[in-house]
């Protein structure tokens, strides 16, 4: 039995509230159970120096966790003067995931930054961030298309991410904190709307796993991402 009482293939409740902030070109508050992440998309005409003059755009991500997103307060990374390795890893993951489904030439010479700020953490913050960032990106691009700033839609596919793991010997979907902190193995999958893999991370956390268990985790990820895609479609209309 999982601590939450969920079945092995059962997701936590997913909610996506769009337009959560008024200034960003696209925004949403996404919740996977008690994990809540604010995702905003900012459109800028400035590009990194190495991208200028090439006729293509760029999509990047930034990630942070509020000091009291967890059960004890963590100091702000800005106060410490540098980002943790974990934060940098997640930021790169968010950026790679979103770029996997965006045609940079169609985006033109502009940059879209996806800021993902964890308000409350209960496991799966990086996967919720990626899934919510796509919604914020979609809303921002919709605005550019409506304003005829863009002639073609640069977003080629939906993208979503979900965590899976082996808990008490059983592959399970969408780990919360209690499961994640005690899992024998955990994995994060980033899948596109046509079921292709953008990224897969799987790590033994005390016990190794075999090929069949890995494939079971993959099958669970497809179930979970399917439900996230439905929530994304509903959120963006």
């Amino acid at each position: 039995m999982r601590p939450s009482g969920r079945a092995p293939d059962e997701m936590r409740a997913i909610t996506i509230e769009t337009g959560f902030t008024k200034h960003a070109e696209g925004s949403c508050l996404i919740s996977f159970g008690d994990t809540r992440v604010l995702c905003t998309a900012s459109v800028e005409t400035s590009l990194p120096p190495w991208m200028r003059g090439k006729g293509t755009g760029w999509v990047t991500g930034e990630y942070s966790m509020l000091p009291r997103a967890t059960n004890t307060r963590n100091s702000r990374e800005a106060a410490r003067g540098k980002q943790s390795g974990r934060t940098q890893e997640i930021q790169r993951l968010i950026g790679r995931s979103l770029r996997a489904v965006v045609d940079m030439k169609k985006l033109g010479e502009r940059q879209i930054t996806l800021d993902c700020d964890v308000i409350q953490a209960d496991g799966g913050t990086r996967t919720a961030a990626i899934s919510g960032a796509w919604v914020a990106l979609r809303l921002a691009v919709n605005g550019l298309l409506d304003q005829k700033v863009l002639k073609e839609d640069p977003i080629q596919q939906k993208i979503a991410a979900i965590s899976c793991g082996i808990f008490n010997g059983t592959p399970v979907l969408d780990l919360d904190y209690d499961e994640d902190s005690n899992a024998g193995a955990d994995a994060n999958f980033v899948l596109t709307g046509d079921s292709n893999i953008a990224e897969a991370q799987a790590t033994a956390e005390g016990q190794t796993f075999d090929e069949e268990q890995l494939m079971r985790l993959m099958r669970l990820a497809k179930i979970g991402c399917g439900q996230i895609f439905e929530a994304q479609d509903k959120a963006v209309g």
Side-chain angles (χ1 to χ4, degrees), residues 12-44:
R12 292 175 288 178
I14 306 169
T15 61
I16 304 175
E17 182 180 347
T18 59
F20 197 76
T21 63
K22 72 176 185 178
H23 297 299
E25 283 79 8
S27 70
C28 75
L29 179 69
I30 186 167
S31 300
F32 284 11
D34 286 335
T35 288
R36 297 187 176 92
V37 185
L38 172 61
C39 303
T40 58
S42 300
V43 181
E44 302 169 289

Side-chain angles (χ1 to χ4, degrees), residues 1 19 22 27 29-30 44 47 64 79 86 110 142 149 154 188 202-203 208 211 214 216 235 237:
M1 179 66 70
K22 72 176 185 178
S27 70
L29 179 69
I30 186 167
E44 302 169 289
L47 283 170
S64 69
R86 176 181 181 274
R110 54 183 55 83
N142 285 351
V149 174
N188 296 299
T203 308
T208 57
E211 181 179 354
L214 177 61
R216 289 177 69 182

Side-chain angles (χ1 to χ4, degrees), residues 168-197:
N168 287 340
T170 301
V172 296
L173 174 64
D174 188 22
L175 280 67
D176 57 28
Y177 176 77
D178 287 340
E179 294 170 327
D180 190 29
S181 58
N182 293 288
D186 65 62
N188 296 299
F189 293 93
V190 185
L191 305 182
T192 63
D194 57 359
S195 296
N196 282 331
I197 301 170

Side-chain angles (χ1 to χ4, degrees), residues 100-183:
V101 294
V102 176
D103 185 326
M104 298 301 167
K105 289 186 179 295
K106 292 181 180 178
L107 186 59
E109 290 202 4
R110 54 183 55 83
Q111 175 171 283
I112 300 181
T113 301
L114 287 312
D115 287 293
C116 303
D117 295 287
V118 179
I119 296 174
Q120 184 168 279
D122 186 32
T125 60
R126 72 187 67 193
T127 55
I130 292 168
S131 303
W134 183 88
V135 172
L137 176 67
R138 177 74 272 175
L139 294 172
V141 168
N142 285 351
L144 295 175
L145 290 168
D146 290 343
Q147 298 164 28
K148 303 194 183 305
V149 174
L150 295 179
K151 295 180 180 179
E152 297 180 85
D153 188 354
I155 300 178
Q156 301 168 313
Q157 284 284 343
K158 293 191 290 289
I159 200 153
I162 193 64
S163 64
C164 303
I166 299 175
F167 181 74
N168 287 340
T170 301
V172 296
L173 174 64
D174 188 22
L175 280 67
D176 57 28
Y177 176 77
D178 287 340
E179 294 170 327
D180 190 29
S181 58
N182 293 288

